[in-house]
Amino acid sequence: MRDIFDAELTQLGDDLVTLAGRVERAITDAGVALLTADLALAETVIAGDLEIDALERDLDERCVLLLAQQAPVATDLRIVVSALRMSATMERMGDLARHVAQVARGRYPRHAIPHGLSGTFAEMHDAAVRVARRLTTLLENRDLAIAESIEQDDDLLDELHEDSFTALLGGSWTGTPQETVDVTLVGRYYERFGDHGVSVARRVVYLVTGNVGEEISAS
Amino acid sequence: MRDIFDAELTQLGDDLVTLAGRVERAITDAGVALLTADLALAETVIAGDLEIDALERDLDERCVLLLAQQAPVATDLRIVVSALRMSATMERMGDLARHVAQVARGRYPRHAIPHGLSGTFAEMHDAAVRVARRLTTLLENRDLAIAESIEQDDDLLDELHEDSFTALLGGSWTGTPQETVDVTLVGRYYERFGDHGVSVARRVVYLVTGNVGEEISAS
């Protein structure tokens, strides 16, 4: 019985890594589509979000089945409940990637992000991709140093988000209302990638160490 | 044993209603703070979000304890897992109310929403308050007609959100970049209230209609 349960927990871990990998792909492609005005890539991300949603549903069903059939307690229970939460958060990261891709598609053939801010958004993209890639690695190997570096990239995303507001509100902004709207929304999506990444990372830390971080839920 | 479990499930339902009530209060106050530039009320919402976070944590701990001690199956398990999800979604609605209040506070003593859009945002506020109030009622009495009316207000929020973009992008917009940013962000927060409300409502519908199905198959 215990062997079967261990195999199922391992499978659950593998499913989380698969989901994280798909989300990493979506975030990477969405950012490239945004920064290079690549319509086909934007469409790929938008269509691919259905797959991420399906992966989340499968993972959740597996969790509920595990709870029903194995009635786990203590650490095992914590793992299953955490998996439910992490899958919901990663599904949300997939939604955000879709939103970024939708902005890219909506402005095509123009670039959604005006030239003067393309450097800031390229940095945001790089940081978001690092967060997503490290989440996948963290879920694979539970190396807590990785969790720390995710927190750092979240701080960087907050700073870059602030920079984008400074550009919009500093008095020398000459963008159109559409550009202002796009910079505002896309900046927020990137800031949220960081929050969600930290939320998942802290759950992994909690599972490994038993220590609750300052605040697990992404705000 | 079963009696104790039933009492705990009832308590879980009561906790969800309490959480929904606190979120309803936050959404109501945040909107009033926004529309009337009421600094004190904005501060109340911002400070009160910590209470909502604490209610969510308590509720989640109760769910995990229930899973560990009672090992529920079938409908009971679905109720507990749904409670975990609904509490996370309502906590998120509380965060959004805090974000609205933070915009109101940041622009004080000015109104964040320019005069020309105050009617649209007053309608968004009304719809969001109805969504939150009906969620509380739905969690109390499980009347599925209420779930339907939440879906309708979500549609209305989507329309009003579109209206706000039309105003920004229609060519006659003369607002400052700060106003454009605020309208963009606050409009998105209101649109998300509707999405989250529908998410919780659908979980209640699933629980209720699932229950009916089980009763039928058991008889």
Side-chain angles (χ1 to χ4, degrees):
Chain A
M1 187 73 170
R2 178 72 221 186
D3 284 352
I4 295 171
F5 186 43
D6 283 343
E8 283 171 342
L9 279 186
T10 304
Q11 180 63 50
L12 195 60
D14 291 348
D15 287 354
L16 281 172
V17 171
T18 302
L19 178 57
R22 287 291 295 114
V23 168
E24 180 190 329
R25 179 84 264 144
I27 290 176
T28 306
D29 289 348
V32 172
L34 178 79
L35 296 167
T36 66
D38 184 331
L39 179 63
L41 198 55
E43 297 281 13
T44 303
V45 174
I46 294 163
D49 192 42
L50 289 175
E51 270 176 63
I52 292 178
D53 293 350
L55 280 175
E56 189 219 1
R57 269 197 307 277
D58 291 350
L59 211 153
D60 287 0
E61 276 167 31
R62 185 184 299 276
C63 288
V64 172
L65 219 63
L66 263 171
L67 290 170
Q69 295 177 342
Q70 307 283 354
V73 293
T75 306
D76 294 339
L77 175 58
R78 240 172 31 193
I79 291 173
V80 178
V81 171
S82 294
L84 275 172
R85 302 235 194 237
M86 292 192 278
S87 74
T89 304
M90 289 195 283
E91 186 270 333
R92 187 73 201 121
M93 294 172 87
D95 285 345
L96 290 170
R98 173 168 51 81
H99 292 331
V100 170
Q102 282 167 330
V103 171
R105 179 174 70 176
R107 295 315 147 254
Y108 180 84
R110 286 184 298 109
H111 284 64
I113 303 298
H115 186 68
L117 276 170
S118 58
T120 303
F121 278 83
E123 279 190 74
M124 291 181 109
H125 165 69
D126 290 344
V129 168
R130 279 196 303 273
V131 165
R133 188 177 307 142
R134 283 170 178 162
L135 268 191
T136 312
T137 311
L138 177 64
L139 286 163
E140 274 171 343
N141 69 13
R142 318 227 160 163
D143 172 358
L144 299 190
I146 295 174
E148 184 51 41
S149 68
I150 290 173
E151 302 256 359
Q152 284 164 10
D153 270 319
D154 176 47
D155 292 341
L156 177 58
L157 279 164
D158 287 345
E159 278 170 37
L160 293 164
H161 188 217
E162 274 306 310
D163 290 349
S164 73
F165 279 130
T166 304
L168 291 180
L169 306 174
S172 57
W173 177 250
T174 56
T176 62
Q178 180 73 66
E179 286 170 331
T180 309
V181 167
D182 289 339
V183 167
T184 302
L185 286 179
V186 175
R188 177 155 174 83
Y189 300 147
Y190 275 98
E191 184 250 340
R192 297 289 300 153
F193 281 134
D195 290 345
H196 287 310
V198 164
S199 164
V200 174
R202 287 185 186 169
R203 287 194 190 281
V204 175
V205 171
Y206 172 64
L207 283 177
V208 174
T209 66
N211 288 334
V212 186
E214 33 188 320
E215 204 186 313
I216 279 180
S217 66
S219 58
Chain B
M1 188 72 171
R2 177 73 220 183
D3 284 352
I4 295 171
F5 186 44
D6 283 344
E8 283 171 343
L9 279 185
T10 303
Q11 182 62 50
L12 195 60
D14 291 348
D15 287 353
L16 281 173
V17 171
T18 302
L19 179 57
R22 288 290 294 112
V23 169
E24 179 189 328
R25 178 84 265 144
I27 290 177
T28 306
D29 288 349
V32 172
L34 178 79
L35 296 168
T36 66
D38 185 331
L39 179 62
L41 198 56
E43 297 282 12
T44 304
V45 174
I46 294 164
D49 192 42
L50 289 175
E51 272 176 63
I52 291 177
D53 293 349
L55 281 176
E56 189 218 2
R57 271 196 305 276
D58 291 349
L59 210 152
D60 287 0
E61 276 167 31
R62 186 185 298 278
C63 288
V64 172
L65 219 63
L66 264 171
L67 290 171
Q69 295 178 340
Q70 307 284 352
V73 294
T75 304
D76 294 338
L77 174 59
R78 252 190 0 214
I79 290 173
V80 178
V81 171
S82 294
L84 275 172
R85 300 275 163 86
M86 290 192 279
S87 74
T89 304
M90 289 196 284
E91 187 270 334
R92 187 72 202 123
M93 293 173 86
D95 286 343
L96 291 170
R98 173 168 51 82
H99 292 331
V100 169
Q102 283 166 330
V103 171
R105 179 174 71 176
R107 294 317 146 253
Y108 180 83
R110 287 184 298 110
H111 284 64
I113 303 299
H115 187 69
L117 276 170
S118 58
T120 303
F121 278 82
E123 280 190 74
M124 291 180 109
H125 166 69
D126 291 343
V129 168
R130 279 196 303 272
V131 165
R133 187 177 306 142
R134 283 171 178 159
L135 268 192
T136 312
T137 312
L138 177 64
L139 286 163
E140 276 171 341
N141 69 14
R142 319 227 159 165
D143 172 358
L144 299 191
I146 295 174
E148 182 52 40
S149 68
I150 290 173
E151 301 258 358
Q152 284 164 9
D153 269 319
D154 177 48
D155 292 341
L156 176 59
L157 280 165
D158 288 344
E159 278 170 39
L160 293 164
H161 188 217
E162 274 306 309
D163 289 350
S164 72
F165 279 130
T166 304
L168 292 180
L169 305 175
S172 56
W173 178 249
T174 57
T176 64
Q178 181 73 67
E179 287 171 330
T180 309
V181 167
D182 289 339
V183 167
T184 302
L185 286 179
V186 175
R188 176 153 175 87
Y189 301 148
Y190 275 97
E191 184 251 340
R192 298 290 299 153
F193 280 135
D195 291 346
H196 287 310
V198 164
S199 161
V200 174
R202 287 187 184 164
R203 286 194 192 282
V204 175
V205 170
Y206 174 65
L207 283 176
V208 172
T209 54
N211 280 347
V212 169
E214 283 218 347
E215 275 169 23
I216 287 170
S217 64
S219 63

